[in-house]
Amino acid sequence: MTKVNVYVTLRESVVDPQGIATKEALQTLGFNEVENVRIGKVIELELNGSASDIDAHVKEMCDKLLINKVIEDYRYEIGEVAGK
C-alpha cells in the first residue's frame, strides 16, 4: 500500500482571506515577525498499484476532482504506509 499526500494551495494571484485573518490574529497576539500567511489543505490517499500507475492516477485525480485548477496549485509526495 502506498500513501500519497496531496498539498493544495491557492495560487499566488488569488486573495486568501483566511490567510489574511490568520496573519492579523497572529500579529495581534504579538507574533509581529509574521509577514504573510497562506492557508491550504492536505489530502491523504492510500492506494494500491505500481509506482508509475500511482503517479499517473494521482495527477489525474487532482486534475479531475481534487483541486480547482483555476485558483489552486498542488504538489504531492508518494511514500509507503507505515506498518503495512
Side-chain angles (χ1 to χ4, degrees):
M1 177 122 11
T2 302
K3 181 178 179 180
V4 178
N5 287 330
V6 180
Y7 302 95
V8 183
T9 55
L10 289 173
R11 292 182 181 232
E12 285 297 320
S13 61
V14 176
V15 175
D16 183 356
Q18 188 177 7
I20 292 168
T22 302
K23 178 189 93 168
E24 290 172 357
L26 288 168
Q27 289 177 342
T28 299
L29 291 171
F31 298 103
N32 296 316
E33 66 273 16
V34 177
E35 294 196 19
N36 192 28
V37 176
R38 302 285 290 177
I39 303 293
K41 59 187 170 187
V42 176
I43 301 168
E44 295 181 356
L45 305 168
E46 289 185 11
L47 308 166
N48 289 311
S50 68
S52 61
D53 286 345
I54 288 174
D55 186 58
H57 287 158
V58 170
K59 286 179 185 175
E60 187 176 1
M61 289 178 207
C62 289
D63 290 340
K64 289 187 173 183
L65 176 69
L66 298 179
I67 68 150
N68 179 340
K69 292 187 286 185
V70 175
I71 63 168
E72 294 176 323
D73 289 323
Y74 72 94
R75 66 180 176 81
Y76 57 89
E77 296 174 351
I78 299 173
E80 295 297 315
V81 174
K84 292 190 178 179

